[in-house]
Amino acid sequence: MSKRVRTAVFPVAGLGTRFLPATKSMPKEMLTVVDRPLIQYAVDEAREAGIEHFVFVTGRNKGVIEDHFDRQFELEATLEARGKLEALEQLQQDLPSAGRTSFTRQQEPLGLGHAVWCARDIVGDQPFALLLPDMIFQANPGVLKQMMDAYEERGGNIIGVEECAWEDVSSYGLVVRGDGPDQGFAISGMVEKPKREDAPSNLFISGRYILQPEIFALLAEQTRGAGGEIQLTDAMQTLMGRQRFTGVKYEGKVYDCGSKLGFLTANVVFALDRPDIRPGFVEELRKLDLGDQL
């Protein structure tokens, strides 16, 4: 029987250079889609999937993320005194309970694989979920919950994937699809940003993983790859020769908020999905009378 996945790792040490100057003094993970920071969406998704321990791999100038997941007594007292109990309840619901968060530093910008490796002593010898906060999803149930269902059935390592247009395959890391249904098919390989004619599929890796702890030893020995960084994909390719990898083509849609276009699109989509915002937002969009600009 597979060990239960109780821990999730969130790499949040990136510099956010694509969003400068906004991210000069504010972590990109604290940029908001409507009224919630990107990192909150990822944590909410993990909680829905049953995660109990939240591990953040941070860097300099990221202390506000730790503050975000702490209580702020002055704010809570003010909200209570002013009778804003709904806002107070929302703040309290968003917080993991005491002792459920851990923070460690990635002291060098050596890539995603290195960030995951930095969490090794906190995660220990257990499987863990990995969520990239730049990627947020419109999905019900959440993507990680869908992946957990596949993990409980098949064990091993799980990768969440989504279809992209064939003309866009050169922009993504893709999986080589083997046998099995969309909810859990064998993965026999991964290819990073191939030419269209070389693409093994149009299923791209979308920032959600469940990984076995053996990945840490491989990352420790991993030589630097593209960009001089320690690549997670390289270590996963090695682990694939020893353990099962399963793909889950989840029901839902991902928005890459690491890009300006994806971030702006996510704000529109999530605003339109909010009953309290949609009517007024739609009216404001109509007033813009964009005409030939669309």
Side-chain angles (χ1 to χ4, degrees), residues 11-12 18 37 46 60 72 80 90-91 93 125 142 145 177 192-193 205 208 232 236 242 267:
V12 292
R18 286 186 287 179
R60 282 193 295 274
Q72 191 174 121
E80 185 172 10
Q90 183 65 63
L91 283 179
Q93 287 178 348
D125 187 24
K145 176 65 170 66
R177 178 168 183 162
E192 191 67 29
K193 299 181 178 180
I205 301 169
R208 296 294 185 268
L232 178 65
M236 288 195 298
R242 309 172 189 176
N267 269 281

Side-chain angles (χ1 to χ4, degrees), residues 92-265:
Q92 294 171 342
Q93 287 178 348
D94 287 347
L95 292 180
S97 56
R100 298 291 189 183
T101 56
S102 297
F103 297 82
T104 187
R105 288 288 186 100
Q106 182 185 17
Q107 295 171 319
E108 298 178 84
L110 294 180
L112 176 58
H114 182 257
V116 173
W117 178 79
C118 287
R120 67 199 183 282
D121 288 336
I122 299 175
V123 174
D125 187 24
Q126 61 176 321
F128 64 98
L130 173 64
L131 297 90
L132 307 191
D134 284 356
M135 315 297 280
I136 68 171
F137 296 82
Q138 195 173 45
N140 186 23
V143 169
L144 187 59
K145 176 65 170 66
Q146 296 178 48
M147 293 169 61
M148 285 287 202
D149 292 342
Y151 175 79
E152 290 174 5
E153 181 179 340
R154 299 178 64 87
N157 304 270
I158 311 290
I159 298 178
V161 299
E162 184 174 323
E163 280 190 352
C164 67
W166 281 99
E167 55 266 29
D168 296 331
V169 293
S170 61
S171 299
Y172 297 102
L174 308 174
V175 300
V176 181
R177 178 168 183 162
D179 294 335
D182 287 350
Q183 295 76 19
F185 58 86
I187 293 177
S188 57
M190 289 173 279
V191 179
E192 191 67 29
K193 299 181 178 180
K195 296 179 180 178
R196 177 171 179 170
E197 57 270 23
D198 298 327
S201 74
N202 65 336
L203 297 173
F204 68 92
I205 301 169
S206 54
R208 296 294 185 268
Y209 313 79
I210 296 173
L211 297 171
Q212 296 298 316
E214 287 77 12
I215 196 74
F216 292 123
L218 296 176
L219 289 169
E221 301 170 356
Q222 187 68 54
T223 56
R224 298 189 187 190
E229 298 180 340
I230 298 173
Q231 299 293 333
L232 178 65
T233 302
D234 293 341
M236 288 195 298
Q237 291 272 31
T238 302
L239 187 59
M240 195 173 295
R242 309 172 189 176
Q243 294 182 356
R244 173 191 296 160
F245 273 72
T246 297
V248 173
K249 184 184 172 187
Y250 50 79
E251 295 183 8
K253 173 68 176 174
V254 67
Y255 297 93
D256 181 3
C257 293
S259 73
K260 294 183 180 73
L261 183 59
F263 177 73
L264 293 170
T265 303

Side-chain angles (χ1 to χ4, degrees), residues 10 43 52-56 65-66 69-70 95-104 122:
F10 303 86
V43 168
E52 300 172 1
H53 187 190
F54 307 84
V55 180
F56 301 87
I65 296 176
E66 188 168 353
F69 291 106
D70 196 1
L95 292 180
S97 56
R100 298 291 189 183
T101 56
S102 297
F103 297 82
T104 187
I122 299 175

